Amino acid sequence: MPHPVALDPAAFRTEVDGKPTDLHTLTGDGGVSVDVTDYGARIVRILAPDRDGVPGDVVLGYDNIRSVMGGQASMGAFIGRFANRIAHGRFTLDGVEHQLARNGGAHHIHGGVKGSRFRVFDTERLGPGAVRMSLTYADGEEGYPGELRSAVTYRLDGDTLRMEYEAVADRRTIVNFTGHAYFNLAGAGSILDHVLTMNARAFTPTDATAIPTGEIRPVAGTPFDFTTPHRIGERIDADDEQIRFGSGYDHNMVIDKPPGAFGPVATVEEPVSGRLLEVSSSEPGAQLHSGNFLTGAAPRDVGRGGVPFVRRGGLCIEPQRFPDAPNHPNFPSTVLDPGEIFRGVIAYRFGVR
Protein backbone atom coordinates (compact mmCIF):
# COMPACT_ATOMS: atom_id res chain seq x y z
CA MET A 1 0.00 0.00 0.00
CA PRO A 2 1.49 3.40 -0.97
CA HIS A 3 1.92 5.95 1.78
CA PRO A 4 -1.30 8.00 1.87
CA VAL A 5 -1.23 11.54 0.55
CA ALA A 6 -2.86 14.25 2.67
CA LEU A 7 -6.30 15.36 1.52
CA ASP A 8 -6.71 19.00 0.51
CA PRO A 9 -9.47 20.59 2.62
CA ALA A 10 -10.03 23.21 -0.10
CA ALA A 11 -11.05 20.42 -2.49
CA PHE A 12 -14.01 19.65 -0.21
CA ARG A 13 -15.32 23.21 0.00
CA THR A 14 -18.33 24.13 -2.05
CA GLU A 15 -21.94 25.15 -1.57
CA VAL A 16 -24.92 22.80 -1.94
CA ASP A 17 -28.47 24.12 -1.64
CA GLY A 18 -27.06 27.30 -0.15
CA LYS A 19 -25.05 25.55 2.56
CA PRO A 20 -21.23 25.30 2.67
CA THR A 21 -19.33 22.04 2.84
CA ASP A 22 -15.91 21.41 4.35
CA LEU A 23 -13.53 18.64 5.40
CA HIS A 24 -13.10 17.89 9.11
CA THR A 25 -10.10 15.84 10.25
CA LEU A 26 -10.34 14.00 13.56
CA THR A 27 -7.13 13.10 15.32
CA GLY A 28 -6.33 11.24 18.50
CA ASP A 29 -3.55 9.37 20.25
CA GLY A 30 -4.18 5.90 18.81
CA GLY A 31 -2.49 6.30 15.41
CA VAL A 32 -5.88 6.55 13.68
CA SER A 33 -7.20 9.63 11.88
CA VAL A 34 -10.59 10.20 10.27
CA ASP A 35 -11.77 12.69 7.64
CA VAL A 36 -15.47 13.60 7.49
CA THR A 37 -17.40 15.98 5.24
CA ASP A 38 -20.65 17.82 6.02
CA TYR A 39 -22.14 16.54 2.73
CA GLY A 40 -24.04 13.45 3.85
CA ALA A 41 -22.16 13.56 7.18
CA ARG A 42 -19.96 11.04 5.45
CA ILE A 43 -16.66 9.42 6.30
CA VAL A 44 -14.24 10.35 3.51
CA ARG A 45 -11.15 8.55 4.75
CA ILE A 46 -9.81 6.57 7.71
CA LEU A 47 -6.08 6.04 8.21
CA ALA A 48 -5.11 3.11 10.44
CA PRO A 49 -1.67 1.55 11.06
CA ASP A 50 -0.70 -1.97 9.99
CA ARG A 51 1.28 -4.40 12.16
CA ASP A 52 4.47 -2.47 11.32
CA GLY A 53 2.90 0.83 12.35
CA VAL A 54 2.57 2.10 8.78
CA PRO A 55 -0.66 4.07 8.26
CA GLY A 56 -2.93 3.03 5.42
CA ASP A 57 -6.21 4.10 3.88
CA VAL A 58 -8.85 1.59 5.03
CA VAL A 59 -12.10 2.93 3.53
CA LEU A 60 -13.03 3.68 -0.07
CA GLY A 61 -13.55 7.32 -0.95
CA TYR A 62 -12.79 10.27 -3.19
CA ASP A 63 -10.30 13.14 -3.50
CA ASN A 64 -12.75 16.04 -3.68
CA ILE A 65 -16.35 17.07 -3.11
CA ARG A 66 -17.20 17.03 -6.83
CA SER A 67 -16.23 13.35 -7.01
CA VAL A 68 -18.14 12.63 -3.80
CA MET A 69 -21.28 14.18 -5.25
CA GLY A 70 -20.93 12.29 -8.53
CA GLY A 71 -19.82 9.03 -6.97
CA GLN A 72 -21.41 6.15 -5.10
CA ALA A 73 -24.30 7.86 -3.32
CA SER A 74 -24.02 5.89 -0.08
CA MET A 75 -20.25 5.66 0.19
CA GLY A 76 -19.23 6.68 3.70
CA ALA A 77 -22.56 8.39 4.36
CA PHE A 78 -24.61 8.57 7.52
CA ILE A 79 -27.91 7.11 6.31
CA GLY A 80 -31.32 8.51 7.27
CA ARG A 81 -34.13 9.11 7.61
CA PHE A 82 -34.66 5.40 7.15
CA ALA A 83 -31.72 3.17 6.27
CA ASN A 84 -32.13 0.25 3.87
CA ARG A 85 -35.33 -0.67 2.02
CA ILE A 86 -39.07 -0.29 2.49
CA ALA A 87 -41.13 -2.44 0.12
CA HIS A 88 -42.87 -0.40 -2.58
CA GLY A 89 -42.23 2.66 -0.42
CA ARG A 90 -45.34 1.93 1.64
CA PHE A 91 -46.01 1.41 5.32
CA THR A 92 -49.01 1.82 7.62
CA LEU A 93 -48.76 3.61 10.95
CA ASP A 94 -51.76 3.97 13.28
CA GLY A 95 -54.07 2.91 10.47
CA VAL A 96 -52.78 5.50 8.00
CA GLU A 97 -50.89 4.36 4.90
CA HIS A 98 -47.88 6.45 3.93
CA GLN A 99 -46.40 6.43 0.43
CA LEU A 100 -42.69 7.21 0.25
CA ALA A 101 -40.53 8.00 -2.74
CA ARG A 102 -39.61 4.95 -4.82
CA ASN A 103 -35.94 5.58 -5.52
CA GLY A 104 -34.67 2.00 -5.55
CA GLY A 105 -36.53 0.35 -8.40
CA ALA A 106 -40.02 -0.39 -7.11
CA HIS A 107 -38.90 0.27 -3.54
CA HIS A 108 -37.74 3.03 -1.18
CA ILE A 109 -34.10 2.94 -0.11
CA HIS A 110 -31.88 4.94 2.24
CA GLY A 111 -34.30 7.79 2.92
CA GLY A 112 -35.33 8.55 -0.64
CA VAL A 113 -34.40 10.96 -3.40
CA LYS A 114 -33.23 13.65 -0.99
CA GLY A 115 -32.26 11.54 1.99
CA SER A 116 -29.34 12.41 4.24
CA ARG A 117 -26.86 11.16 1.65
CA PHE A 118 -27.57 14.26 -0.46
CA ARG A 119 -27.93 16.88 2.28
CA VAL A 120 -25.44 19.22 3.92
CA PHE A 121 -25.47 18.88 7.71
CA ASP A 122 -24.95 21.73 10.16
CA THR A 123 -21.59 21.16 11.83
CA GLU A 124 -20.19 21.92 15.28
CA ARG A 125 -16.57 21.08 16.01
CA LEU A 126 -16.22 19.63 19.53
CA GLY A 127 -12.43 19.43 19.68
CA PRO A 128 -9.59 17.75 17.75
CA GLY A 129 -11.22 14.33 17.96
CA ALA A 130 -14.94 15.02 17.61
CA VAL A 131 -17.49 16.72 15.38
CA ARG A 132 -21.28 16.90 15.69
CA MET A 133 -23.44 17.08 12.57
CA SER A 134 -27.17 17.79 12.64
CA LEU A 135 -30.01 17.73 10.12
CA THR A 136 -33.75 18.41 10.34
CA TYR A 137 -36.17 16.60 8.04
CA ALA A 138 -39.45 18.39 7.32
CA ASP A 139 -42.88 16.90 8.00
CA GLY A 140 -43.97 15.12 4.81
CA GLU A 141 -40.52 15.12 3.27
CA GLU A 142 -40.15 12.04 1.03
CA GLY A 143 -43.58 11.04 2.37
CA TYR A 144 -42.59 10.55 6.03
CA PRO A 145 -44.85 11.82 8.79
CA GLY A 146 -43.47 14.33 11.28
CA GLU A 147 -40.60 16.76 11.52
CA LEU A 148 -37.51 14.84 12.61
CA ARG A 149 -34.54 16.57 14.20
CA SER A 150 -31.42 14.40 14.06
CA ALA A 151 -27.72 14.53 14.86
CA VAL A 152 -24.67 12.31 14.61
CA THR A 153 -21.42 12.84 16.51
CA TYR A 154 -18.21 11.30 15.21
CA ARG A 155 -15.86 10.81 18.14
CA LEU A 156 -12.33 9.41 17.77
CA ASP A 157 -11.18 7.94 21.06
CA GLY A 158 -7.74 6.35 20.75
CA ASP A 159 -8.09 3.53 18.21
CA THR A 160 -11.91 3.65 18.20
CA LEU A 161 -14.25 5.74 16.07
CA ARG A 162 -17.71 6.10 17.61
CA MET A 163 -20.84 7.26 15.81
CA GLU A 164 -23.35 8.49 18.39
CA TYR A 165 -26.70 9.44 16.88
CA GLU A 166 -30.05 10.66 18.12
CA ALA A 167 -33.35 11.97 16.81
CA VAL A 168 -36.62 13.44 18.08
CA ALA A 169 -39.92 13.87 16.21
CA ASP A 170 -43.05 15.99 16.66
CA ARG A 171 -45.32 13.22 15.30
CA ARG A 172 -45.31 9.44 15.48
CA THR A 173 -42.97 8.28 12.74
CA ILE A 174 -40.36 5.66 11.82
CA VAL A 175 -36.58 5.97 12.09
CA ASN A 176 -33.59 3.86 11.12
CA PHE A 177 -30.00 5.14 10.93
CA THR A 178 -26.69 3.56 9.96
CA GLY A 179 -23.19 4.27 8.69
CA HIS A 180 -22.28 3.14 5.17
CA ALA A 181 -18.48 3.05 5.00
CA TYR A 182 -16.90 0.61 2.53
CA PHE A 183 -13.94 -0.93 4.36
CA ASN A 184 -10.86 -2.43 2.75
CA LEU A 185 -8.22 -3.15 5.38
CA ALA A 186 -5.65 -3.94 2.69
CA GLY A 187 -6.18 -0.53 1.12
CA ALA A 188 -6.51 -1.94 -2.40
CA GLY A 189 -7.79 -4.92 -4.34
CA SER A 190 -10.74 -7.05 -3.28
CA ILE A 191 -11.92 -7.92 0.22
CA LEU A 192 -12.30 -11.63 -0.59
CA ASP A 193 -9.31 -12.63 1.56
CA HIS A 194 -10.51 -10.62 4.56
CA VAL A 195 -11.52 -12.97 7.36
CA LEU A 196 -14.91 -12.24 8.90
CA THR A 197 -16.53 -13.32 12.15
CA MET A 198 -20.09 -12.16 12.99
CA ASN A 199 -22.05 -12.37 16.20
CA ALA A 200 -25.11 -13.57 14.30
CA ARG A 201 -26.79 -16.96 14.38
CA ALA A 202 -29.61 -15.87 12.05
CA PHE A 203 -30.31 -13.62 9.08
CA THR A 204 -33.35 -12.28 7.25
CA PRO A 205 -33.74 -13.84 3.79
CA THR A 206 -35.03 -11.67 0.94
CA ASP A 207 -36.94 -12.01 -2.28
CA ALA A 208 -35.23 -11.37 -5.62
CA THR A 209 -35.64 -7.59 -5.15
CA ALA A 210 -33.80 -7.52 -1.79
CA ILE A 211 -36.97 -7.13 0.31
CA PRO A 212 -37.10 -9.36 3.44
CA THR A 213 -39.64 -12.16 3.34
CA GLY A 214 -40.26 -11.79 7.09
CA GLU A 215 -38.51 -15.05 7.93
CA ILE A 216 -35.69 -15.11 10.47
CA ARG A 217 -33.53 -18.02 9.31
CA PRO A 218 -30.66 -19.73 11.18
CA VAL A 219 -27.30 -19.31 9.45
CA ALA A 220 -26.20 -22.85 10.34
CA GLY A 221 -25.44 -24.83 7.20
CA THR A 222 -25.58 -21.74 4.95
CA PRO A 223 -22.94 -19.44 3.39
CA PHE A 224 -24.09 -16.82 5.93
CA ASP A 225 -22.60 -18.66 8.90
CA PHE A 226 -19.76 -16.45 10.14
CA THR A 227 -20.15 -17.49 13.77
CA THR A 228 -16.64 -18.89 13.27
CA PRO A 229 -14.05 -17.10 11.09
CA HIS A 230 -14.29 -17.52 7.32
CA ARG A 231 -12.72 -15.80 4.34
CA ILE A 232 -15.35 -13.59 2.75
CA GLY A 233 -14.58 -15.10 -0.64
CA GLU A 234 -14.84 -18.69 0.58
CA ARG A 235 -18.59 -19.06 -0.11
CA ILE A 236 -19.52 -15.81 -1.81
CA ASP A 237 -20.40 -17.55 -5.07
CA ALA A 238 -22.04 -20.60 -3.51
CA ASP A 239 -24.95 -22.32 -5.24
CA ASP A 240 -27.45 -20.73 -2.87
CA GLU A 241 -30.63 -18.81 -3.76
CA GLN A 242 -29.93 -16.02 -1.29
CA ILE A 243 -26.39 -15.58 -2.60
CA ARG A 244 -27.76 -15.41 -6.14
CA PHE A 245 -30.37 -12.82 -5.11
CA GLY A 246 -27.68 -10.56 -3.63
CA SER A 247 -24.96 -11.32 -6.21
CA GLY A 248 -22.98 -12.19 -3.09
CA TYR A 249 -23.61 -10.90 0.43
CA ASP A 250 -26.21 -8.15 0.77
CA HIS A 251 -28.32 -9.25 3.72
CA ASN A 252 -29.37 -8.22 7.20
CA MET A 253 -27.72 -10.29 9.92
CA VAL A 254 -29.54 -10.73 13.23
CA ILE A 255 -27.10 -9.79 15.99
CA ASP A 256 -26.99 -11.92 19.14
CA LYS A 257 -27.47 -9.56 22.06
CA PRO A 258 -30.29 -8.25 24.25
CA PRO A 259 -32.56 -5.61 22.64
CA GLY A 260 -31.02 -2.15 22.89
CA ALA A 261 -27.79 -3.42 24.42
CA PHE A 262 -24.44 -2.23 23.10
CA GLY A 263 -22.36 -5.22 22.06
CA PRO A 264 -20.14 -6.92 19.47
CA VAL A 265 -21.31 -7.18 15.86
CA ALA A 266 -18.35 -8.35 13.77
CA THR A 267 -14.59 -8.74 13.57
CA VAL A 268 -12.70 -8.38 10.28
CA GLU A 269 -9.04 -9.31 9.80
CA GLU A 270 -6.78 -8.69 6.81
CA PRO A 271 -4.00 -11.29 7.09
CA VAL A 272 -1.26 -9.58 5.05
CA SER A 273 -1.31 -6.16 6.77
CA GLY A 274 -2.45 -7.62 10.09
CA ARG A 275 -5.11 -4.93 10.38
CA LEU A 276 -8.14 -5.76 12.47
CA LEU A 277 -11.54 -4.08 12.65
CA GLU A 278 -14.00 -4.72 15.47
CA VAL A 279 -17.54 -3.42 14.99
CA SER A 280 -19.94 -2.97 17.91
CA SER A 281 -23.33 -1.30 18.11
CA SER A 282 -26.60 -0.84 19.96
CA GLU A 283 -28.63 -2.00 16.93
CA PRO A 284 -30.34 -5.41 16.56
CA GLY A 285 -29.18 -6.03 12.99
CA ALA A 286 -26.35 -5.30 10.59
CA GLN A 287 -26.44 -5.30 6.80
CA LEU A 288 -23.55 -7.32 5.41
CA HIS A 289 -22.69 -6.05 1.93
CA SER A 290 -19.68 -7.26 -0.05
CA GLY A 291 -19.42 -4.50 -2.68
CA ASN A 292 -20.90 -6.70 -5.38
CA PHE A 293 -21.85 -3.80 -7.64
CA LEU A 294 -18.61 -1.82 -7.64
CA THR A 295 -17.51 -1.81 -11.29
CA GLY A 296 -14.43 0.38 -11.62
CA ALA A 297 -16.25 2.46 -14.24
CA ALA A 298 -15.55 6.21 -14.33
CA PRO A 299 -16.52 8.51 -12.84
CA ARG A 300 -18.68 6.89 -10.17
CA ASP A 301 -16.36 4.03 -9.29
CA VAL A 302 -12.97 5.73 -9.48
CA GLY A 303 -11.59 6.76 -6.12
CA ARG A 304 -8.64 8.56 -4.62
CA GLY A 305 -5.63 8.94 -6.87
CA GLY A 306 -7.63 7.74 -9.88
CA VAL A 307 -7.71 4.16 -8.60
CA PRO A 308 -10.84 2.24 -9.69
CA PHE A 309 -13.04 0.48 -7.13
CA VAL A 310 -12.91 -3.17 -8.17
CA ARG A 311 -15.88 -5.50 -7.78
CA ARG A 312 -16.02 -6.65 -4.16
CA GLY A 313 -13.37 -4.11 -3.29
CA GLY A 314 -15.19 -2.83 -0.20
CA LEU A 315 -16.98 -4.44 2.73
CA CYS A 316 -19.94 -2.74 4.40
CA ILE A 317 -21.08 -3.76 7.88
CA GLU A 318 -24.05 -1.48 8.58
CA PRO A 319 -25.55 -1.80 12.08
CA GLN A 320 -29.23 -0.83 11.93
CA ARG A 321 -32.81 -1.91 12.54
CA PHE A 322 -34.05 -4.54 10.10
CA PRO A 323 -34.91 -3.51 6.52
CA ASP A 324 -38.62 -3.12 5.75
CA ALA A 325 -39.29 -3.39 9.50
CA PRO A 326 -42.51 -1.29 9.41
CA ASN A 327 -44.10 -4.01 7.26
CA HIS A 328 -43.06 -6.96 9.47
CA PRO A 329 -44.55 -6.97 12.99
CA ASN A 330 -42.09 -9.71 14.06
CA PHE A 331 -39.10 -7.42 13.39
CA PRO A 332 -37.79 -4.98 16.03
CA SER A 333 -39.86 -1.80 15.95
CA THR A 334 -38.66 1.34 14.18
CA VAL A 335 -41.51 3.51 15.50
CA LEU A 336 -40.56 6.73 17.28
CA ASP A 337 -43.17 8.47 19.44
CA PRO A 338 -43.29 12.28 19.71
CA GLY A 339 -40.98 13.56 22.43
CA GLU A 340 -39.17 10.22 22.69
CA ILE A 341 -35.43 10.36 21.94
CA PHE A 342 -34.11 7.81 19.47
CA ARG A 343 -30.49 6.98 20.32
CA GLY A 344 -27.89 4.64 18.91
CA VAL A 345 -24.15 3.98 18.81
CA ILE A 346 -21.86 2.33 16.28
CA ALA A 347 -18.19 1.82 17.16
CA TYR A 348 -15.29 0.82 14.92
CA ARG A 349 -12.12 -0.24 16.74
CA PHE A 350 -8.94 -0.58 14.68
CA GLY A 351 -6.11 -2.85 15.77
CA VAL A 352 -3.54 -5.33 14.50
CA ARG A 353 -2.86 -9.01 14.88
Side-chain angles (χ1 to χ4, degrees):
M1 178 188 293
H3 197 81
V5 176
L7 296 178
D8 179 8
F12 288 86
R13 292 175 187 144
T14 190
E15 192 172 280
V16 179
D17 297 330
K19 298 180 70 173
T21 66
D22 207 342
L23 186 71
H24 307 273
T25 300
L26 310 184
T27 57
D29 57 6
V32 177
S33 68
V34 179
D35 292 292
V36 185
T37 177
D38 326 69
Y39 181 72
R42 73 184 65 224
I43 296 170
V44 173
R45 183 169 74 166
I46 299 176
L47 299 182
D50 65 11
R51 64 164 60 95
D52 296 319
V54 178
D57 201 342
V58 297
V59 294
L60 305 188
Y62 301 96
D63 287 319
N64 56 72
I65 193 65
R66 180 178 299 175
S67 295
V68 169
M69 294 175 67
Q72 288 276 348
S74 297
M75 186 166 285
F78 176 67
I79 305 292
R81 142 178 201 161
F82 196 97
N84 219 310
R85 295 168 177 85
I86 296 178
H88 305 288
R90 290 196 299 268
F91 70 96
T92 299
L93 184 62
D94 298 331
V96 177
E97 183 176 278
H98 298 272
Q99 180 65 61
L100 308 177
R102 297 184 183 184
N103 63 312
H107 309 303
H108 180 85
I109 187 168
H110 291 336
V113 178
K114 235 359 197 175
S116 62
R117 299 179 291 170
F118 310 108
R119 303 278 295 278
V120 179
F121 285 60
D122 296 320
T123 301
E124 178 188 3
R125 195 62 193 249
L126 303 179
V131 62
R132 176 181 170 88
M133 297 185 169
S134 56
L135 180 66
T136 297
Y137 306 87
D139 181 21
E141 188 175 322
E142 302 286 338
Y144 288 97
E147 180 186 83
L148 184 76
R149 292 183 286 118
S150 71
V152 57
T153 299
Y154 288 100
R155 194 179 305 278
L156 183 59
D157 183 9
D159 57 8
T160 301
L161 174 65
R162 290 173 58 89
M163 296 174 60
E164 303 162 353
Y165 45 90
E166 60 190 45
V168 63
D170 64 356
R171 286 178 58 191
R172 207 160 192 246
T173 191
I174 59 171
V175 181
N176 190 20
F177 294 144
T178 194
H180 208 302
Y182 283 75
F183 292 96
N184 185 320
L185 301 184
S190 82
I191 46 83
L192 297 182
D193 286 333
H194 286 42
V195 178
L196 173 65
T197 310
M198 290 202 79
N199 183 30
R201 290 176 292 177
F203 75 111
T204 54
T206 72
D207 65 17
T209 67
I211 295 297
T213 63
E215 178 188 1
I216 295 177
R217 182 182 299 177
V219 299
T222 78
F224 297 87
D225 188 352
F226 288 96
T227 54
T228 57
H230 286 273
R231 287 178 52 253
I232 292 168
E234 183 179 334
R235 301 162 298 177
I236 198 169
D237 290 314
D239 184 14
D240 178 274
E241 180 183 67
Q242 289 298 307
I243 290 287
R244 289 194 295 273
F245 283 169
S247 297
Y249 297 110
D250 193 8
H251 293 74
N252 172 61
M253 309 297 288
V254 179
I255 305 304
D256 294 329
K257 58 185 182 62
F262 179 81
V265 171
T267 300
V268 187
E269 181 182 358
E270 201 287 300
V272 176
S273 67
R275 289 191 182 91
L276 192 72
L277 169 65
E278 295 176 343
V279 183
S280 302
S281 92
S282 56
E283 301 295 352
Q287 188 81 3
L288 174 64
H289 176 56
S290 50
N292 309 305
F293 305 107
L294 299 173
T295 67
R300 191 183 75 160
D301 282 357
V302 176
R304 278 188 285 278
V307 178
F309 303 138
V310 302
R311 184 173 187 243
R312 295 171 175 167
L315 177 68
C316 302
I317 298 173
E318 309 162 51
Q320 58 190 267
R321 307 293 167 93
F322 297 2
D324 200 32
N327 294 312
H328 299 281
N330 60 316
F331 286 0
S333 176
T334 55
V335 173
L336 179 66
D337 288 322
E340 178 187 2
I341 301 176
F342 178 99
R343 287 191 174 97
V345 179
I346 300 170
Y348 306 105
R349 191 188 81 81
F350 299 91
V352 294
R353 181 171 290 168

